[in-house]
Amino acid sequence: MTRGGVRARAAALLAGGAVLGLGLAATPGRADDLRGALVSAYNTNPTLQAARSTQRATDETVPIAKAAGRPGANATAGYTEIVDSASSTATSLGNGLTLEGPTRQLNAGLNLSVPLYSGGSVKNQVRAAERRVEAGQADLRGTESAIFSQAVAAYMDVILNEAIVGLNRKNVEVLSVNLEATRDRFEIGDLTRTDVAQSEARLAVARSDTRTAEANLANARERYIQVVGHPPGALDPPPPLPGLPATAEDAVGIALDSNPDILAARERSKAAEIDIDVAGASRLPQLSAVVGGTYSNYLGSYSIAGSSVPLPQAGAGLTVGLSGSIPLFQGGRPAAQRRQAQARAGAALEQEIGAERDVIAQTRSAYQSWKASNDVIVSSQAGVDAASLSLEGVRAENSVGNRTILDILNAEQELLNAQVRLVTARRNAYVAGFTLLAAMGKAEARDLGLDGGALYDPQVNYQRVRGKWSDWSNDPAPVAQSTRTVDTPAQDGSVSAGQAATLGGSTPEVRRAQDMSGGKD
């Protein structure tokens, strides 16, 4: 191979690496897309499924609170057998008659109580529980948004690390070609042994960097499995993010109205204020209507010895009335409970402000990160273009003796670094944009238009259980909804053949690099 041919081959390989650097923006032929990854996480992620179960448990606090204000009924029954005859009673009635027994007895009772007034305790407990249900639903939205953010980051990390592996492999190929050329020129006395050693050292470092990149890719794929639930296939480039704000102020305004953390803190603050009235109700009178019924039967064990006249064996009674209590002194406990509730309400108010501060800071920070990443993309693209031209110039100058082999090696390393910065900036910009949407409360399933089945609506379960009265209205035994990953294969740092073909194919960039180098393979 001629020296010009070696230059052309190296330039073509580097141009192929530059094509990979643009792969975050458009890479054809991938099989899996971001929407599919989000749907999988939405349906199978254990953290999200656990949060839904936790919210269903929170839903039950409303019927539990309502139960204290509903009628209550209980039945009692007992059977007594006197086994020691000395314990039985016998009373002489004269004329040879004796009253005996009873020796056994059956008792039954039925009591019904209807609360009439509880000082507002039940009503306020229900109101507080309803507020906490709304807070829990907001928390569930926040968990959903957080899982989606993790899924997006995992998805983009796989694409990023695949790109970096490809860039490093191309760099190894380029350095191998350089080393071959350097050895040829050393053999004819055009270069020194130092030049060969420099090329060998740089190739060894590139191979080490490639192995590190492959390990990082394997780690990114394992993280993808952890969040999404299955190994990544060939990943499509992500779609544009919708609804990104024009200014940080716009983003904050939306976040204050929609961020689930703020909404949850507001509802908890309102619930804590209601708890003050619940605590104060213990100082007020309690009134209930009561109805009671009793039944007893001696089962024929009550009789008069020596007489054929039967005695009544059974009896029943019914009572109806009112039951009330007026607390007079409880050792200071009601006042302490109310002060405690007031302190907790104060803490909830501060936590609401704290949540608001956190969201404002997160939103502004995410906005600045997103904007900065977009600016880095522009500068990194310019850096790639400049580094490509610089390498071509250094190679040309080396051919006439004005540049050393070390100059070429440094120029190649600068181009690689610029390409890695570009693909990293593209990843960071997309993740920062999605993080900004999450901070604004606009990164949930309802906002992203996910398909793949009906979306989970926590309100459906709440409406189902909030008015239940039955003591025997049970749900089916719980069954895990998330998928296990124990059977997924261990991931490695390999890059698919399709992607490798994309990197090494005949593209306009490759052809332009060949033409500019002035030679062919």
Side-chain angles (χ1 to χ4, degrees):
M1 182 182 294
T2 65
R3 186 181 303 175
V6 170
R7 289 200 311 272
R9 182 180 174 191
L13 289 170
L14 282 168
V19 173
L20 175 63
L22 300 174
L24 284 174
T27 304
R30 293 180 179 272
D32 294 344
D33 59 15
L34 179 57
R35 175 168 294 182
L38 294 179
V39 169
S40 179
Y42 185 77
N43 292 326
T44 67
N45 186 277
T47 301
L48 185 52
Q49 293 291 345
R52 290 169 181 167
S53 294
T54 299
Q55 179 57 27
R56 290 193 291 270
T58 302
D59 292 343
E60 300 295 345
T61 60
V62 172
I64 289 173
K66 288 182 176 180
R70 291 170 176 168
N74 65 83
T76 60
Y79 175 77
T80 303
E81 182 78 32
I82 301 176
V83 297
D84 184 359
S85 61
S87 300
S88 63
T89 60
T91 304
S92 176
L93 300 177
N95 300 323
L97 301 178
T98 303
L99 180 63
E100 296 180 346
T103 59
R104 56 183 179 273
Q105 186 174 8
L106 174 66
N107 293 309
L110 178 64
N111 296 291
L112 174 65
S113 176
V114 181
L116 300 178
Y117 179 71
S118 60
S121 173
V122 173
K123 177 186 68 176
N124 289 316
Q125 284 179 1
V126 172
R127 290 175 57 213
E130 290 173 341
R131 292 293 187 183
R132 290 189 169 94
V133 166
E134 294 181 16
Q137 291 179 354
D139 285 336
L140 182 57
R141 287 179 50 205
T143 301
E144 181 180 301
S145 180
I147 293 300
F148 283 162
S149 296
Q150 294 174 19
V152 167
Y155 188 97
M156 298 303 296
D157 284 343
V158 171
I159 295 180
L160 168 64
N161 283 281
E162 284 178 351
I164 292 177
V165 167
L167 286 170
N168 278 276
R169 287 181 180 177
K170 287 299 177 184
N171 189 46
V172 169
E173 294 181 33
V174 169
L175 292 176
S176 297
V177 173
N178 284 344
L179 178 58
E180 177 186 343
T182 302
R183 285 171 174 168
D184 290 344
R185 295 174 65 183
F186 172 72
E187 292 295 333
I188 63 176
D190 193 19
L191 296 175
T192 67
R193 178 60 189 164
T194 300
D195 295 318
V196 175
Q198 288 173 337
S199 296
E200 291 174 339
R202 194 62 63 89
L203 177 59
V205 171
R207 286 171 174 164
S208 175
D209 290 343
T210 300
R211 185 66 190 90
T212 300
E214 291 172 345
N216 291 338
L217 174 56
N219 292 338
R221 287 170 170 166
E222 293 292 353
R223 174 62 176 163
Y224 182 96
I225 294 174
Q226 178 187 2
V227 177
V228 177
H230 60 77
L235 302 181
D236 278 337
L241 292 174
L244 289 169
T247 65
E249 289 73 17
D250 292 342
V252 170
I254 296 173
L256 292 177
D257 292 331
S258 303
N259 185 279
D261 293 338
I262 290 182
L263 299 180
R266 288 174 183 168
E267 295 302 326
R268 289 195 176 91
S269 177
K270 294 175 182 177
E273 291 179 358
I274 298 173
D275 287 341
I276 297 174
D277 294 331
V278 174
S282 62
R283 298 182 294 192
L284 301 177
Q286 311 285 315
L287 180 64
S288 299
V290 294
V291 178
T294 60
Y295 173 80
S296 62
N297 195 318
Y298 297 126
L299 303 176
S301 66
Y302 195 38
S303 63
I304 300 177
S307 173
S308 59
V309 178
L311 291 180
Q313 301 292 319
L318 176 66
T319 60
V320 177
L322 297 175
S323 175
S325 64
I326 301 177
L328 298 178
F329 180 69
Q330 302 177 57
R333 182 175 63 178
Q337 290 175 330
R338 194 174 191 281
R339 293 193 301 270
Q340 183 184 61
Q342 288 175 317
R344 288 174 175 168
L349 287 172
E350 302 300 338
Q351 290 165 359
E352 179 183 348
I353 296 176
E356 182 180 273
R357 285 189 179 187
D358 289 344
V359 168
I360 291 173
Q362 291 169 11
T363 304
R364 290 172 176 170
S365 177
Y367 180 85
Q368 294 302 329
S369 296
W370 172 60
K371 294 290 289 183
S373 297
N374 287 328
D375 293 340
V376 171
I377 290 175
V378 175
S379 61
S380 296
Q381 182 63 66
V384 169
D385 295 340
S388 298
L389 291 175
S390 173
L391 177 58
E392 292 170 2
V394 169
R395 285 187 178 279
E397 293 174 12
N398 174 260
S399 65
V400 296
N402 292 335
R403 292 282 186 170
T404 66
I405 292 297
L406 182 59
D407 292 330
I408 295 177
L409 296 175
N410 289 338
E412 290 168 346
Q413 186 64 44
E414 288 175 1
L415 176 56
L416 173 63
N417 293 340
Q419 292 168 337
V420 171
R421 282 194 295 271
L422 176 58
V423 294
T424 302
R426 291 188 183 280
R427 178 267 178 199
N428 292 343
Y430 198 89
V431 173
F434 196 90
T435 302
L436 175 58
L437 289 178
M440 293 163 55
K442 298 298 182 181
E444 301 155 30
R446 64 184 184 182
D447 304 307
L448 303 177
L450 298 186
D451 47 20
L455 298 181
Y456 182 84
D457 184 0
Q459 190 69 14
V460 172
N461 182 75
Y462 174 62
Q463 293 296 336
R464 179 180 70 90
V465 302
R466 61 174 303 191
K468 284 186 175 293
W469 283 61
S470 174
D471 289 351
W472 300 95
S473 178
N474 297 328
D475 282 348
V479 178
Q481 301 297 315
S482 56
T483 56
R484 304 187 66 188
T485 60
V486 65
D487 294 328
T488 58
Q491 300 298 295
D492 56 28
S494 62
V495 177
S496 67
Q499 188 178 8
T502 300
L503 300 179
S506 179
T507 65
E509 289 81 2
V510 172
R511 291 192 295 271
R512 183 171 66 251
Q514 291 172 334
D515 295 339
M516 291 176 66
S517 67
K520 298 183 182 297
D521 287 344

